[in-house]
Amino acid sequence: MSKLSIRGLSKTYAGVVHAVRKVDLEVESGEFLSLLGPSGCGKTTTLQMVAGFVSPTTGTVMVDGMDITNAVPEKRDMGIVFQSYALFPHMTVAQNVAFGLEMRKMKRPQRDDRVAEALTMVRLSGLENRYPSELSGGQRQRVAIARVLAIRPRVLLLDEPMSNLDAKLRGEMHVELRALQRRLGITTILVTHDQVEAMTMSDRIAVMANGGIAELGTPQEIYDHPTSEFAFKFLGQTNVIAGDIASIEGELATVRVGSVSLKAKIGGGQNGRQIKLFVRPERLRICPSDSCRTRGKIVTRLFLGGVWFYEIESGLGNLRLSVVNVGAAQPQEGEDVGITWNDGDLQCVASEAANG
């Protein structure tokens, strides 16, 4: 297990395009960290600088305290799995897995043992003599992973390796790869734009935007209590309620949304300042009593298997609400319903206009 340190890492093209802006990260030994964000946020460029494929404009990359910023990729003792898998079509499974070992001049008996060990890890024993064209997408991905594991890298880099798989297989591979990483204890960085993938597999997630890190924490921390508006909107679904702060007492603010007054926690602000309230759909509940916090009319009802999804026109605007499917009867489109939530479910973020 190795610790990876990224300090002040930046990449600027032509002196004007800032792809990555002073990224600082400490990836602990054996940790699984994901770089999550939309296209163009800098996550892939960051990974490529860690791998040595792109030279940083500023900053350093260190493994176990050793500066490898200027080392060539093959001297970094890292393994990378690409989105395309990059398997050699003319080589068998065993030959593909052995390729990195051959480049390291490992002797045949040791090489064969290492290949067999790696294929056992990814549950591909018995397929040694097949070619990539004879494998399923999931099997090809496992070959790519086995090829990396065979060289026993200090750090494993995953560049959206599951984006070409169908949804069901992708979900299965999330579980398998995470279990394998935990068992081997390899320090791992995953680049992905898939929120579910990042939250399923990671110890921590670095949410990237505009070349920098907008949010860093465990999956639950950044989902339940993000500190940035970008993370609130990017991770999962959320309701955004725009209002004005009427008064503040300590950390509790009274927020006016039209004729409705709401209470929400806030770190500070001034009377009359615009504010945004954020609440996840699963934190809202349909309320059968008259003591609900607001009311509305169901305009959309969708059955998604595990949950019912509603869109409700209310005095707070259009609200999205999800209800776990337990087999009980659910209200229909067109019905008027009450909506409630727990104290603390509404979170405040100053609007962009207020921030200037």
Side-chain angles (χ1 to χ4, degrees):
M1 294 189 291
S2 296
K3 180 177 180 177
L4 174 70
S5 299
I6 300 171
R7 298 175 184 171
L9 206 61
S10 300
K11 183 62 183 180
T12 303
Y13 291 99
V16 293
V17 179
H18 301 285
V20 177
R21 304 169 185 263
K22 295 184 178 180
V23 168
D24 292 305
L25 270 177
E26 297 289 330
V27 188
E28 299 299 328
S29 296
E31 183 179 22
F32 195 122
L33 183 135
S34 289
L35 302 179
L36 172 67
S39 297
C41 71
K43 59 186 186 296
T44 297
T45 303
T46 299
L47 189 81
Q48 289 176 335
M49 287 190 285
V50 171
F53 300 137
V54 171
S55 298
T57 304
T58 63
T60 59
V61 179
M62 304 180 73
V63 176
D64 292 334
M66 180 182 297
D67 189 341
I68 62 167
T69 309
N70 298 315
V72 295
E74 57 268 27
K75 297 296 184 180
R76 296 190 178 212
D77 199 11
M78 295 183 179
I80 184 165
V81 179
F82 298 96
Q83 180 178 350
S84 63
Y85 311 144
L87 300 179
F88 298 107
H90 64 286
M91 292 185 180
T92 65
V93 166
Q95 290 169 337
N96 267 284
V97 175
F99 181 77
L101 303 175
E102 290 181 7
M103 294 298 99
R104 287 163 172 77
K105 309 298 183 183
M106 181 176 285
K107 293 182 179 180
R108 181 63 180 269
Q110 293 175 289
R111 190 169 70 233
D112 289 346
D113 288 344
R114 194 76 70 83
V115 169
E117 178 187 45
L119 290 176
T120 298
M121 288 181 187
V122 298
R123 299 189 295 110
L124 286 179
S125 298
L127 301 183
E128 292 84 354
N129 295 321
R130 291 194 185 182
Y131 289 89
S133 61
E134 300 173 320
L135 303 175
S136 67
Q139 288 171 329
R140 287 196 293 272
Q141 185 202 48
R142 290 179 191 172
V143 174
I145 294 170
R147 181 172 59 186
V148 168
L149 296 180
I151 65 174
R152 296 181 181 174
R154 291 191 292 177
V155 178
L156 175 61
L157 306 176
L158 304 172
D159 186 10
E160 303 205 48
M162 285 163 277
S163 59
N164 292 329
L165 303 179
D166 62 62
K168 184 176 184 298
L169 184 55
R170 190 161 60 244
E172 293 172 355
M173 289 306 301
H174 291 165
V175 176
E176 289 190 15
L177 183 54
R178 178 56 167 145
L180 181 61
Q181 185 271 339
R182 279 178 171 166
R183 188 166 73 249
L184 299 176
I186 298 178
T187 305
T188 302
I189 298 179
L190 167 71
V191 161
T192 183
H193 63 273
D194 187 322
Q195 303 155 35
V196 173
E197 185 167 283
M199 288 193 284
T200 300
M201 300 177 70
S202 308
D203 293 308
R204 287 190 301 156
I205 299 173
V207 180
M208 296 192 67
N210 300 318
I213 296 176
E215 202 84 27
L216 178 65
T218 68
Q220 187 171 5
E221 286 171 347
I222 65 172
Y223 183 83
D224 286 343
H225 303 289
T227 60
S228 67
E229 180 177 341
F230 174 80
F232 240 128
K233 291 180 177 179
F234 185 74
L235 285 168
Q237 297 189 43
T238 190
N239 292 291
V240 183
I241 303 169
D244 296 288
I245 298 176
S247 63
I248 299 175
E249 295 181 13
E251 292 188 348
L252 191 64
T254 299
V255 181
R256 294 236 175 105
V257 183
S259 60
V260 180
S261 291
L262 303 172
K263 298 287 187 180
K265 285 187 176 181
I266 184 172
Q270 299 176 356
N271 291 356
R273 186 182 182 186
Q274 285 186 315
I275 203 75
K276 291 180 181 179
L277 306 179
F278 293 81
V279 59
R280 300 289 189 191
E282 65 270 19
R283 296 299 180 93
L284 299 178
R285 303 190 305 276
I286 292 176
C287 175
S289 68
D290 294 330
S291 59
C292 304
R293 297 180 187 253
T294 189
R295 299 194 67 84
K297 179 181 179 180
I298 297 174
V299 294
T300 303
R301 185 182 82 153
L302 301 174
F303 180 62
L304 304 179
V307 300
W308 287 93
F309 177 84
Y310 294 93
E311 186 174 348
I312 302 173
E313 288 182 349
S314 76
L316 304 178
N318 279 9
L319 296 177
R320 289 170 292 178
L321 183 152
S322 60
V323 178
V324 175
N325 174 31
V326 294
Q330 298 294 330
Q332 304 290 320
E333 290 183 1
E335 284 191 37
D336 290 320
V337 295
I339 305 170
T340 192
W341 53 86
N342 293 332
D343 292 338
D345 284 341
L346 293 184
Q347 299 186 54
C348 296
V349 177
S351 68
E352 293 174 0
N355 287 334

